[in-house]
Amino acid sequence: MKRLVKPFKIFFMTIIGLTVLIMVVLQLVLSEKYLSGVIDRLSSAMVDGKVSFVHVNASVVRSFPGLNLSLDKFSVTYPKGKFPGYEEHSRLLDAGSGEENDTLFTVDRLSLSLNYMSYLLKRSIDIRNLRVESPRIYAHKYNDTTANWNVFVKQFADTVSADDTQAPFLLPDISIGKIVLEKSPVVVYTAPCDEISALLAFRRLSLKGRVRGTGLPQIIASSNVSMQLDSLFASGRLSSDTLSLGVDKFSIELRKSHLDAFLSANAYSRSKAFGLLKVPLSLDSSLDFPEEGIDDELHVNIKKCA
């Protein structure tokens, strides 16, 4: 009996030793200097602007079997005057504007946790945790062909393979555990050419559970997801009318073809014709998706709507 146990013991100890060795090597390779170089190379190919950050860190040993990545003070900017700008000025139109550079996107801290063993063994991407602190997005559209998000280079969009027999690129299966946007995210969108401007701000958004599948019917049938949104304020201007929405709480829970939704909010509208209108909103409902597909009959149960 001992003769049978000893080979298995040696085998398992060897596997453990190799795993520890690989983890240590990965930790040494994924140094801040190496990661900074990778981000610089990717950003130079994808962004026609400046990508900056203060600190980047990767942890392999302490987070086994996961890989933890974090970025501090991450931002995407571009030189002032790169785009035509606006003739008028306001708080929203000037959002993200600086003395020398204008900002498209900035975040205080971005943390990402991946299960790299899942990719190595199953060729699937398992995102355990994604946390974004104080994101700020300033999106400006100047005309039908020019917007500040054009700083992102379409590197592969105009490249078409001449080989018709080449297999199409397929994304691997993606599993998402938890996503959190916190510390008062803000999104600004302006498009004076379309007479639209909008501001979106909220305290915290959390998405938990597992999202699985490659298509919408499969995702609905096999996922368990819950989302909670706290203290949302949204304001938009369409021509001469102003619309606002204040949400105290909004939650959605999807459990394998069954969805529960709850909303408590106040909607405001200001127009020349009616002045200021306030509409309290309250919704508590559920929705059952048919197993045959979302094209079939849906069953909706509204518990409360006011």
Side-chain angles (χ1 to χ4, degrees):
M1 190 65 162
K2 292 183 179 180
R3 292 181 179 180
L4 294 176
V5 172
K6 188 174 181 180
F8 283 104
K9 184 177 180 180
I10 295 175
F11 173 76
F12 285 115
M13 291 301 293
T14 302
I15 295 297
I16 293 174
L18 288 174
T19 302
V20 172
L21 179 61
I22 292 174
M23 291 168 55
V24 173
V25 171
L26 283 175
Q27 185 66 69
L28 294 175
V29 171
L30 296 177
S31 63
E32 183 170 356
K33 182 179 179 180
Y34 174 79
L35 293 174
S36 299
V38 171
I39 295 175
D40 289 339
R41 289 192 296 272
L42 290 175
S43 61
S44 62
M46 299 175 62
V47 180
D48 185 17
K50 181 181 180 181
V51 175
S52 59
F53 53 92
V54 174
H55 179 67
V56 58
N57 180 61
S59 174
V60 179
V61 177
R62 290 179 297 177
S63 57
F64 178 81
L67 169 63
N68 289 349
L69 295 172
S70 64
L71 276 171
D72 293 332
K73 304 297 181 183
F74 179 75
S75 65
V76 177
T77 60
Y78 50 91
K80 198 172 190 66
K82 183 177 181 64
F83 299 104
Y86 300 129
E87 295 181 358
E88 300 179 357
H89 295 277
S90 70
R91 183 178 179 181
L92 292 184
L93 294 176
D94 295 334
S97 178
E99 295 182 359
E100 298 181 358
N101 296 292
D102 293 340
T103 301
L104 172 63
F105 173 80
T106 181
V107 59
D108 284 352
R109 183 176 179 83
L110 189 150
S111 303
L112 175 66
S113 179
L114 298 170
N115 185 345
Y116 60 87
M117 295 299 294
S118 178
Y119 183 78
L120 293 176
L121 299 176
K122 304 178 183 178
R123 294 301 179 186
S124 63
I125 297 177
D126 184 0
I127 301 176
R128 290 181 164 186
N129 192 307
L130 174 61
R131 186 176 297 271
V132 184
E133 298 180 5
S134 299
R136 301 285 188 271
I137 301 174
Y138 307 108
H140 300 295
K141 180 182 177 182
Y142 304 103
N143 52 54
D144 292 338
T145 59
T146 307
N148 66 341
W149 56 82
N150 289 345
V151 296
F152 291 104
V153 179
K154 297 179 181 179
Q155 184 179 11
F156 306 105
D158 300 328
T159 302
V160 180
S161 174
D163 186 4
D164 294 335
T165 62
Q166 184 177 2
F169 174 74
L170 298 176
L171 286 174
D173 291 336
I174 299 176
S175 176
I176 301 175
K178 181 178 180 181
I179 298 176
V180 176
L181 304 179
E182 59 184 357
K183 297 189 177 180
S184 303
V186 173
V187 178
V188 173
Y189 173 77
T190 61
C193 57
D194 299 324
E195 298 185 335
I196 298 175
S197 60
L199 169 68
L200 178 68
F202 52 93
R203 181 189 299 171
R204 190 174 190 268
L205 170 67
S206 64
L207 178 65
K208 302 177 183 179
R210 290 290 174 182
V211 179
R212 299 183 183 277
T214 56
L216 183 58
Q218 187 179 357
I219 290 175
I220 292 175
S222 59
S223 298
N224 291 296
V225 180
S226 64
M227 186 198 76
Q228 289 190 348
L229 178 63
D230 296 330
S231 303
L232 166 72
F233 174 77
S235 178
R237 186 174 179 84
L238 305 173
S239 185
S240 59
D241 298 334
T242 301
L243 304 175
S244 299
L245 178 67
V247 178
D248 295 327
K249 185 176 181 181
F250 176 55
S251 63
I252 291 179
E253 185 173 357
L254 174 65
R255 302 187 309 275
K256 294 184 178 181
S257 299
H258 178 81
L259 185 143
D260 292 318
F262 175 81
L263 171 68
S264 176
N266 289 303
Y268 300 88
S269 173
R270 182 184 294 275
S271 64
K272 292 181 180 180
F274 302 102
L276 178 63
L277 298 176
K278 177 183 177 181
V279 181
L281 300 174
S282 181
L283 176 68
D284 189 357
S285 64
S286 62
L287 176 64
D288 290 310
F289 295 93
E291 296 181 358
E292 291 78 8
I294 58 176
D295 292 333
D296 294 329
E297 183 180 356
L298 298 177
H299 301 280
V300 182
N301 178 23
I302 300 178
K303 303 175 185 176
K304 178 181 179 183
C305 183

